Amino acid sequence: MAFNIFKKLFGSRNERMLKNYRKTVQKINALEAELEALSDEELRQKTDFFKSELAAGKSLDDILPEAFAVVREAGKRVFGMRHYDVQMIGGMALHEGKISEMRTGEGKTLVATLPTYLNALTGKGVHVITVNDYLAKRDSDWMGQLFEFLGLSTGVIISGQSPQEKQLAYSMDITYGTNNEFGFDYLRDNMAIFAEERVMRGQHYAVVDEVDSILIDEARTPLIISGPSEDKSEIYQAINPLIEHLEKGEEDTETKTSTGDFTIDEKAKQIYLTDQGHAKIEELLTEIGLLQEGDSLYDATNIGLMIHINAALRANLLFEKDRDYIVENNQVVIIDEFTGRKMEGRRWSEGLHQAVEAKEGVKIQQESQTFASITFQNYFRQYEKLSGMTGTADTEAGEFLSTYSLEVVVIPPNKTPQRIDLPDLVYLDMEGKFAAIVEDIRVTNETKQPILVGTASIEMSELLSRLLTQSGIKHNVLNAKQHEREAGIIADAGRPGAVTIATNMAGRGTDIVLGGNLEMEIEALDNPTEEKIAEVKAAWQARHDEVLSYGGLKVIGSERHESRRIDNQLRGRSGRQGDVGLTRFYLSLDDDLMRRFASERVKSMMKRLGMSSNEAIEHSMVTKSIERAQKQVERLHQDERANLLKFDDISNQQRKVVYAQRNELMAANSDDVKDIVDGLRAQVIEEVMGNYVPPGSLEEQWDIHGLTLALKEEFGVDLPLQTWLEEDKNLYEEKMLDKIVETMENIYSTKMSVIDDKTKHHFEKEVLLRTIDKQWRTHLAEMDYLRRGIHLRGYAQKDPFQEYRRESAEMFRSFLNEVTFETVKILSLVQIQGSQDVQDFDDQNVPLELDASHPAAAGIADAIQSHAEEEIEEASEEGTFRREQPKVGRNDPCPCGSGKKYKHCCGKLS
């Protein structure tokens, strides 16, 4: 109550921010007349003026009013569009690193030009991120005209471009592209062997369009670059038919027992085998020869089979064709459950994709091994400043703030909305619901009011399409199978009498304009003379007024989605820019959401009360109950994303250390690389020697013969250690180590003298990077295995997260040790006859059996020394190693004053 009183007196935080923004808008408006008087060239010169102001010490905030006013004036001259005051407010929120929630049709694409121009003046590059290649290309071509008018350059990155094309695009002042391409380019840059192969300039400032879709919906799946692993297609094909022999059971909540062979938890989307199911599947596996007689699925050697069984169960019982995926060109293509778009190039992990391929009888692609990965959360949190815009962000404001430190600012519409949202209608079953939808469409269509029908899956959109065809109602269908026609279908969806059935992809990024899309009509003209354009505009205006008189666009939802945002997006297609409109959702107790949260008892009760298939319940209490169910699902998804992020943060700490040190290695000069190699050699020899000559031990305890053999077998050097001891009775442990290291350095220098210093430096650097490629790949695979099974530690009363944290730190230390040892071993054993051998190594990568597409990481001597004894999370905070004191040679006296050599004191490699 006290909070409400405070809010009434001082306004909400959102209202206070809007009040401050409006003061700045007044300053911007005051400059309009002055800028209108400038010529085009004088307006363009403002860009150079702003850059000089920034160079003189002014901040972006200082020049914001005039810069925004310049963009507004440029928009009037280039597009004939003037930014509204509320668009200026949205631009200010974006500049401050916040999320602008603006209704559909408020012109978010134009809003983005304001902060994009302002932040591009720094010369560090601005990324404008969209949900698909079509929108990235469209917005780059469209808004690029404005930026070019003001003297800034624009580029676009899309899938399939060459590295040279991407380097050019990233070098521009403003770069448009999709979230996937930006993320994958970041990973590929950190897999590059040479600095010139990298394409990105860094992560300075980003504006994310449809920010809820990218940072929330897609954040449940990490970006993974992978390569083929062992081929197990025969196992997937053999296991798939077994699933039909299993019977679904039910869990008795009172006795905690289960019937049948498996149970399905629809809320968690998981399948659990019962004891009976385990016994049956073991029997079936034994019959087909995948399990030996008497063996158990829980034997250590059969754990892999259990993964295949789980994948087959999920593929056959949880994943549906035309809802979760489609089969296209003999391939399984994933459908994004939130946007309804195809996710080409993306594959499910943990064998699920292969199991679905076996189910559908298409060619089974090889399982993949992770080369590099990152979550969207950890990629986008790297930007110095991040902002976003969407029509639906307020419902997820808490997650945006906690995960990305992004505050949501709700921007008021330019015109007061007139759309009417009718209460939901709930039917007993699917048949009754679809019959009511078809009847509603038929009656509405007779009035010529345009209709958009939203469905949650391709399957439902095609079912509804068949019903409308049977009723003789002309319509268009927009789903992932017709995504190439999206722009054309959306352009016509607002015409009088248009009926459009669409999945959730409908019009995200494009508006349904009442009367049809005028711009596309003008673009389609063969000879766009002034007279023809005037005729087209007049015809469009007549249609626009006609549709308004019919009541605007009517939106019909065929079911509620798990997320309220998706429903709000569908509603938002109607009533843009103050237009009239109407929305209504039709539900049934057979819908996924209703089935999961309204039990069979509800359906039975409805029948007992005499409710028939064609009767509906309409009450605000029902609508509120459904929204409560949606909130539960949203919390489940949020927990899932938070859990994914919590575990990935551990990997991210390692990734940051590795990538930072790798970047330093790529930029290292010849002397630095030589010092790294020398330091690694000394560390490895010291560790090997410690196995045969224990530190502080007596000479009688030394295994000189074993040490001699180890040096010969591991590093190809045959040293007369026993003779050295006999010749020098004072050859104590430390002195022997120095002599071994010095001798090996001389042997290596002699061997490498056949090539010049530049080629040697190039070769050593490449060996370091490629060695770590191999070890990093192995490390990621081990981390994957650890992550999959770590939850089992909970049964031993241990915290899985803490166990993962501890073991991953140990694994990372082991990774660094492997990098060190293998690098020294390769450089010691490799035989170089001349520069051509180095070129062959570049071309074929024979010693490491790697290629340039593999991931890379670097654990150079400084990194190992700095991080080997510390927790990984502490190491990540230190970031890239920087030498603060003058460099000290390995054999120089230690600066601490101990009297020992530096390498045996403060410079000792642990």
Side-chain angles (χ1 to χ4, degrees):
M1 186 174 179
F3 175 77
N4 290 335
I5 294 172
F6 181 87
K7 184 177 176 181
K8 193 169 184 180
L9 287 172
F10 301 102
S12 65
R13 172 165 173 75
N14 197 82
E15 290 168 346
R16 293 196 298 275
M17 284 191 290
L18 292 177
K19 186 176 180 180
N20 287 330
Y21 291 148
R22 288 190 180 101
K23 292 177 183 177
T24 307
V25 170
Q26 291 175 359
K27 296 178 184 178
I28 297 169
N29 292 341
L31 295 167
E32 190 163 10
E34 177 187 333
L35 294 175
E36 283 177 339
L38 299 179
S39 66
D40 287 355
E41 180 57 28
E42 288 173 329
L43 192 64
R44 198 213 69 76
Q45 288 174 358
K46 283 290 184 180
T47 298
D48 298 329
F49 168 72
F50 292 142
K51 289 181 178 179
S52 65
E53 290 282 272
L54 293 174
K58 285 197 173 182
S59 69
L60 291 177
D61 291 339
D62 293 334
I63 64 172
L64 183 148
E66 189 174 2
F68 274 30
V70 165
V71 176
R72 172 188 269 175
E73 183 59 30
K76 286 155 60 177
R77 299 187 188 190
V78 175
F79 303 128
M81 294 190 292
R82 179 184 180 275
H83 292 74
Y84 303 130
D85 286 358
V86 291
Q87 289 177 313
M88 290 289 175
I89 291 173
M92 281 180 261
L94 292 174
H95 165 67
E96 290 182 356
K98 295 180 171 61
I99 291 174
S100 291
E101 179 179 286
M102 304 181 73
R103 280 174 169 263
T104 300
E106 291 294 308
K108 291 187 285 291
T109 306
L110 192 62
V111 169
T113 59
L114 297 162
T116 299
Y117 171 79
L118 178 61
N119 285 269
L121 294 170
T122 63
K124 296 179 181 179
V126 173
H127 295 167
V128 183
I129 301 167
T130 63
V131 292
N132 60 50
D133 285 344
Y134 163 73
L135 292 176
K137 186 75 170 64
R138 184 204 71 175
D139 292 353
S140 172
D141 293 341
W142 187 16
M143 296 298 119
Q145 300 172 58
L146 185 150
F147 297 127
E148 185 178 348
F149 179 84
L150 290 173
L152 296 180
S153 57
T154 309
V156 60
I157 57 162
I158 55 177
S159 57
Q161 285 179 320
S162 68
Q164 293 75 25
E165 290 173 315
K166 288 197 170 183
Q167 282 177 338
L168 178 62
Y170 280 115
S171 70
M172 300 296 180
D173 296 309
I174 299 145
T175 307
Y176 284 81
T178 65
N179 51 316
N180 286 341
E181 282 305 305
F182 281 109
F184 282 132
D185 283 344
Y186 169 77
L187 291 177
R188 282 188 284 260
D189 274 2
N190 285 288
M191 290 164 56
I193 297 299
F194 306 111
E196 57 269 20
E197 294 175 352
R198 295 182 293 191
V199 298
M200 301 184 86
R201 288 198 285 162
Q203 288 74 35
H204 169 55
Y205 173 60
V207 179
V208 183
D209 193 12
E210 304 298 354
V211 67
D212 55 325
S213 176
I214 292 174
L215 298 191
I216 298 293
D217 298 338
E218 295 200 31
R220 289 160 59 191
T221 308
L223 290 171
I224 298 174
I225 291 181
S226 59
S229 183
E230 183 183 354
D231 186 4
K232 298 179 181 177
S233 56
E234 292 181 0
I235 298 178
Y236 287 106
Q237 290 169 337
I239 288 178
N240 186 70
L242 306 184
I243 304 303
E244 65 184 29
H245 296 286
L246 302 178
E247 297 178 2
K248 182 181 178 182
E250 300 292 339
E251 183 176 2
D252 190 322
T253 53
E254 294 181 3
T255 62
K256 300 295 182 182
T257 57
S258 302
T259 60
D261 298 320
F262 64 86
T263 59
I264 299 179
D265 183 344
E266 294 205 21
K267 292 183 182 180
K269 289 192 175 179
Q270 291 293 333
I271 296 180
Y272 304 100
L273 283 173
T274 63
D275 291 341
Q276 176 184 316
H278 275 291
K280 183 181 284 190
I281 204 70
E282 286 178 354
E283 182 182 331
L284 293 170
L285 290 170
T286 305
E287 288 178 8
I288 63 174
L290 286 179
L291 202 64
Q292 296 297 315
E293 189 74 41
D295 281 1
S296 168
L297 270 175
Y298 292 110
D299 290 345
T301 54
N302 297 323
I303 292 298
L305 276 178
M306 197 65 230
I307 294 173
H308 289 301
I309 293 295
N310 287 331
L313 283 167
R314 295 179 68 205
N316 282 273
L317 303 171
L318 286 181
F319 287 76
E320 294 183 17
K321 184 179 178 181
D322 289 341
R323 186 191 70 181
D324 302 295
Y325 63 91
I326 60 173
V327 177
E328 187 176 77
N329 299 324
N330 204 33
Q331 290 184 329
V332 171
V333 181
I334 302 173
I335 299 298
D336 189 307
E337 64 175 302
F338 295 100
T339 66
R341 300 183 189 278
K342 290 191 294 187
M343 302 174 73
E344 292 176 297
R346 298 282 287 272
R347 292 175 65 83
W348 289 303
S349 58
E350 300 181 7
L352 176 60
H353 209 99
Q354 288 80 6
V356 173
E357 288 169 334
K359 167 189 169 183
E360 294 297 336
V362 301
K363 182 183 177 182
I364 298 177
Q365 306 292 327
Q366 278 184 259
E367 286 188 66
S368 58
Q369 179 179 2
T370 300
F371 289 168
S373 71
I374 193 169
T375 57
F376 278 123
Q377 291 100 323
N378 276 322
Y379 171 71
F380 282 108
R381 290 196 298 190
Q382 293 182 94
Y383 280 92
E384 295 171 32
K385 185 164 65 173
L386 179 66
S387 64
M389 52 190 185
T390 182
T392 49
D394 202 33
T395 56
E396 310 290 347
E399 186 171 357
F400 278 123
L401 192 60
S402 62
T403 303
Y404 303 98
S405 300
L406 284 172
E407 187 174 6
V408 176
V409 182
V410 180
I411 311 296
N414 183 49
K415 294 181 180 178
T416 305
Q418 300 183 58
R419 188 186 72 221
I420 300 172
D421 297 325
L422 297 175
D424 299 347
L425 291 176
V426 182
Y427 288 80
L428 193 63
D429 51 37
M430 288 271 194
E431 291 78 7
K433 178 182 75 171
F434 279 111
I437 290 175
V438 171
E439 178 61 18
D440 190 355
I441 293 172
R442 187 191 64 77
V443 172
T444 305
N445 189 237
E446 290 176 355
T447 69
K448 297 295 183 183
Q449 183 178 10
I451 304 168
L452 173 68
V453 187
T455 65
S457 67
I458 297 173
E459 182 184 16
M460 288 300 144
S461 67
E462 293 180 342
L463 169 61
L464 191 54
S465 176
R466 288 195 296 271
L467 294 174
L468 291 181
T469 301
Q470 291 169 10
S471 300
I473 300 173
K474 187 179 177 182
H475 61 279
N476 281 315
V477 179
L478 175 59
N479 57 40
K481 292 182 179 180
Q482 291 91 24
H483 73 103
E484 295 88 356
R485 299 174 52 219
E486 177 177 355
I489 293 173
I490 291 298
D492 291 336
R495 287 176 173 267
V499 178
T500 309
I501 302 172
T503 52
N504 298 323
M505 67 191 291
R508 287 212 77 163
T510 56
D511 291 331
I512 297 176
V513 183
L514 301 187
N517 192 305
L518 176 61
E519 291 177 10
M520 291 187 69
E521 286 187 57
I522 294 174
E523 287 175 10
L525 292 173
D526 291 333
N527 271 323
T529 61
E530 292 293 329
E531 292 79 9
K532 283 188 177 181
I533 292 174
E535 287 178 18
V536 170
K537 285 184 176 179
W540 174 85
Q541 190 63 52
R543 290 197 309 272
H544 179 76
D545 295 339
E546 184 183 356
V547 172
L548 284 175
S549 68
Y550 298 150
L553 178 68
K554 182 172 185 175
V555 169
I556 296 175
S558 65
E559 65 182 280
R560 287 290 200 116
H561 196 273
E562 290 180 344
S563 170
R564 289 170 294 163
R565 285 182 298 105
I566 308 300
D567 293 341
N568 291 338
Q569 287 159 12
L570 179 60
R571 281 199 175 104
R573 302 297 131 211
S574 175
R576 63 183 292 279
Q577 279 296 326
D579 290 341
V580 292
L582 187 73
T583 69
R584 165 89 85 177
F585 276 84
Y586 286 80
L587 315 176
S588 84
L589 295 178
D590 291 334
D591 294 346
D592 284 347
L593 187 71
M594 301 293 283
R595 194 176 66 249
R596 288 164 64 184
F597 291 93
S599 66
E600 281 293 321
R601 265 177 272 175
V602 176
K603 193 170 184 179
S604 301
M605 182 184 70
M606 299 284 195
K607 289 180 178 178
R608 284 198 302 272
L609 291 173
M611 182 177 174
S612 64
S613 181
N614 59 358
E615 289 181 303
I617 298 174
E618 178 182 355
H619 200 283
S620 58
M621 284 180 61
V622 176
T623 302
K624 288 177 182 176
S625 297
I626 293 166
E627 288 179 353
R628 281 197 296 271
Q630 288 175 309
K631 287 179 182 178
Q632 289 183 47
V633 180
E634 287 167 3
R635 280 195 293 270
L636 284 173
H637 289 327
Q638 184 174 348
D639 291 344
E640 186 180 337
R641 290 188 292 268
N643 192 55
L644 171 69
L645 182 60
K646 186 168 74 167
F647 279 89
D648 189 67
D649 277 343
I650 301 295
S651 300
N652 196 50
Q653 290 159 2
Q654 298 178 5
R655 186 187 302 116
K656 283 160 67 176
V657 171
V658 165
Y659 285 0
Q661 296 297 339
R662 184 174 195 280
N663 289 336
E664 185 169 320
L665 176 62
M666 292 177 76
N669 58 35
S670 299
D671 290 340
D672 287 339
V673 173
K674 181 183 183 303
D675 288 344
I676 291 166
V677 171
D678 289 346
L680 293 179
R681 184 185 294 112
Q683 174 181 330
V684 169
I685 299 307
E686 184 176 14
E687 290 175 355
V688 171
M689 184 174 166
N691 295 328
Y692 301 93
V693 181
S697 61
L698 299 174
E699 189 173 331
E700 290 77 13
Q701 298 174 288
W702 295 2
D703 181 4
I704 298 301
H705 178 69
L707 178 57
T708 303
L709 284 177
L711 293 174
K712 184 176 182 180
E713 291 176 357
E714 297 290 353
F715 309 109
V717 291
D718 191 1
L719 303 180
L721 303 184
Q722 189 63 46
T723 304
W724 289 356
L725 282 171
E726 292 170 359
E727 292 176 350
D728 186 356
K729 298 301 181 183
N730 295 320
L731 192 63
Y732 54 90
E733 170 192 330
E734 186 177 305
K735 198 173 177 182
M736 176 182 278
L737 174 63
D738 287 347
K739 190 166 185 177
I740 293 173
V741 172
E742 185 178 352
T743 305
M744 288 185 66
E745 284 179 357
N746 292 334
I747 292 172
Y748 178 73
S749 296
T750 303
K751 178 174 64 175
M752 301 300 286
S753 63
V754 296
I755 56 177
D756 58 75
D757 287 344
K758 183 179 180 181
T759 306
K760 176 188 171 187
H761 162 244
H762 170 93
F763 175 71
E764 289 174 336
K765 184 185 289 189
E766 189 170 354
V767 167
L768 272 165
L769 289 172
R770 293 198 188 283
T771 302
I772 299 167
D773 283 351
K774 182 180 178 182
Q775 295 303 328
W776 183 246
R777 179 175 57 178
T778 302
H779 177 68
L780 288 175
E782 291 173 350
M783 291 283 283
D784 280 345
Y785 285 125
L786 177 66
R787 174 72 182 87
R788 290 181 196 177
I790 200 69
H791 66 279
L792 297 174
R793 306 288 176 91
Y795 293 115
Q797 304 302 311
K798 293 180 179 180
D799 181 354
F801 175 69
Q802 293 302 328
E803 289 291 296
Y804 181 80
R805 183 191 185 101
R806 179 181 61 79
E807 292 202 21
S808 63
E810 291 295 326
M811 289 165 61
F812 190 66
R813 279 190 280 271
S814 176
F815 154 73
L816 292 176
N817 291 335
E818 289 294 330
V819 166
T820 307
F821 187 86
E822 191 166 342
T823 299
V824 174
K825 183 174 180 178
I826 290 170
L827 290 174
S828 299
L829 294 176
V830 70
Q831 296 300 318
I832 299 292
Q833 304 299 325
S835 299
Q836 186 58 44
D837 288 347
V838 177
Q839 184 60 50
D840 292 342
F841 176 76
D842 287 349
D843 296 339
Q844 300 176 20
N845 315 318
V846 174
L848 302 183
E849 299 176 345
L850 297 178
D851 60 48
S853 67
H854 286 358
I860 61 178
D862 286 334
I864 296 171
Q865 179 179 327
S866 300
H867 306 301
E869 293 300 317
E870 299 174 345
E871 287 297 318
I872 303 308
E873 59 271 18
E874 294 175 354
S876 69
E877 293 172 1
E878 293 179 10
T880 305
F881 177 80
R882 293 286 182 271
R883 187 179 288 112
E884 297 179 359
Q885 303 297 330
K887 183 177 175 182
V888 181
R890 292 176 52 249
N891 292 304
D892 293 343
C894 188
C896 73
S898 65
K900 295 182 180 180
K901 291 181 180 180
Y902 175 68
K903 65 184 180 183
H904 294 309
C905 189
C906 298
K908 187 174 182 180
L909 297 171
S910 51

